[in-house]
Amino acid sequence: MNFTEAIRLSKKYAECPKCGNGNIGAGEGTVDIDENSFERTCKCGWNITVKDKQNS
C-alpha cells in the first residue's frame, strides 16, 4: 500500500467509529498494513479492510 494512503487511512480510522476506542494492542485492536491492504480492527468487533487499487 502506498505510504501516503496508509497514513490517510490511519488517521481516518485512528478511533473506532463504532465505540470510539483509539487504542491498539493488548487486546484493544489492531492495524495491519501490507503492500496490498490496510486492516483496522477493534475489541468491540468492528473491522475494516481497504484493498490497494494500484496493487490489486
Side-chain angles (χ1 to χ4, degrees), residues 13 15-21 40 42-47:
Y13 298 113
E15 292 183 350
C16 173
K18 185 175 177 183
C19 73
N21 180 23
R40 166 74 161 94
C42 182
K43 67 179 181 179
C44 73
W46 174 85
N47 67 69

Side-chain angles (χ1 to χ4, degrees), residues 1-48:
M1 171 156 287
N2 168 316
F3 179 74
T4 303
E5 181 67 2
I7 294 298
R8 185 188 72 77
L9 290 168
S10 295
K11 288 179 181 179
K12 181 175 182 178
Y13 298 113
E15 292 183 350
C16 173
K18 185 175 177 183
C19 73
N21 180 23
N23 298 321
I24 303 295
E28 295 287 320
T30 64
V31 172
D32 184 26
I33 303 169
D34 65 27
E35 66 263 2
N36 298 314
S37 65
F38 170 95
E39 181 180 21
R40 166 74 161 94
T41 67
C42 182
K43 67 179 181 179
C44 73
W46 174 85
N47 67 69
I48 189 162

